[in-house]
Amino acid sequence: MTGLVERWRDAVRGAGATAADPELSAAGEDLLRRWREPHRHYHTVEHLVAVLDVVDAEAGWTGDTDPVRLAAWCHDAVYDPQSPGDTNERASAALATELLTGLGLPAAAVTEVERLVLLTAGHRVEPTDRAGALLCDADLAILAAPAATYDEYAAAIRREYHHVPDDHFRAGRAAVLRDLLDLPTRYRLPHLAARWEQPARENLTRELTHLTP
């Protein structure tokens, strides 16, 4: 946890925060508490770390990576599987705005983090949006995981929606998978697309086949 809070502090300082270190650390610890809520099975600290690791590895793709890192921290900070549509993304974006404004980030940086968080609702990114491409590619990296890891991810999503009857879940999940398959591409960074696009399509298609008669 200490190392993660340090990564948070580095990113928020890099984006221009003026708050003192204890306040920055408290904000990071509060975010981690959100990511550790007991109803989460996939949208956990492990997912946060996985997204951050891709962002860090591909930091050269965009000139200013700290807002992308902060968007990664905030993009699932509010996560209630019973909320409809993009409610969670909008609530996470609002939380990011309130939190980062309170830590003294410049308004332009706050607005950019909010914009990036909202992109994760549909993962549709304009061709010139390098920051959005980096965040969305990192968020969807799990789709290209080895089949066994992908199946664990899909099972974890089902556990998060344990309150939904099986037939309703299958229909809703199938719609999500079709939306992902209908994206022009799942990955925008060329070298990631070259490695990840095919296994992602195979995983999504396999899960969709299992969900539909």
Side-chain angles (χ1 to χ4, degrees):
M1 180 169 176
T2 302
L4 274 176
V5 172
E6 185 174 349
R7 289 174 80 172
W8 158 260
R9 283 200 310 265
D10 288 346
V12 79
R13 280 198 211 99
T18 59
D21 276 0
E23 191 175 353
L24 299 182
S25 296
E29 289 163 358
D30 181 66
L31 284 170
L32 285 176
R33 281 192 289 271
R34 291 175 174 273
W35 283 92
R36 290 191 171 105
E37 291 166 336
H39 62 272
R40 297 171 182 250
H41 298 279
Y42 170 69
H43 294 88
T44 62
V45 172
E46 288 72 21
H47 172 57
L48 168 62
V49 171
V51 174
L52 289 171
D53 286 349
V54 174
V55 171
D56 285 350
E58 307 299 336
W61 178 252
T62 181
D64 187 5
T65 311
D66 285 318
V68 184
R69 294 186 178 101
L70 296 180
W73 273 91
C74 294
H75 80 287
D76 285 322
V78 178
Y79 183 70
D80 178 0
Q82 299 193 50
S83 295
D86 63 353
T87 301
N88 287 321
E89 289 84 0
R90 288 188 286 105
S92 294
L95 174 67
T97 296
E98 179 181 3
L99 176 65
L100 298 175
T101 299
L103 296 176
L105 261 73
V110 174
T111 298
E112 173 66 353
V113 173
E114 179 184 27
R115 182 188 74 83
L116 291 169
V117 170
L118 290 171
L119 280 180
T120 63
H123 299 96
R124 295 187 178 274
V125 181
E126 294 296 323
T128 58
D129 184 2
R130 288 193 160 224
L134 178 55
L135 178 64
C136 288
D137 282 15
D139 192 30
L140 296 182
I142 186 61
L143 302 183
T149 302
Y150 179 92
D151 291 346
E152 291 173 359
Y153 144 74
I157 294 293
R158 181 64 182 107
R159 290 196 297 276
E160 289 182 343
Y161 285 86
H162 66 90
H163 57 282
V164 179
D166 192 56
D167 56 340
H168 291 175
F169 175 81
R170 292 166 74 91
R173 178 67 178 166
V176 170
L177 298 178
R178 291 189 187 98
D179 284 346
L180 289 168
L181 285 166
D182 286 345
L183 288 171
T185 178
R186 266 96 347 242
Y187 306 106
R188 294 88 179 164
L189 278 65
H191 60 289
L192 295 184
R195 287 161 40 200
W196 291 354
E197 185 66 27
Q198 185 61 31
R201 289 193 65 85
E202 290 174 358
N203 282 328
L204 291 165
T205 301
R206 187 181 72 257
E207 185 186 358
L208 182 59
T209 300
H210 291 162
L211 288 171
T212 54

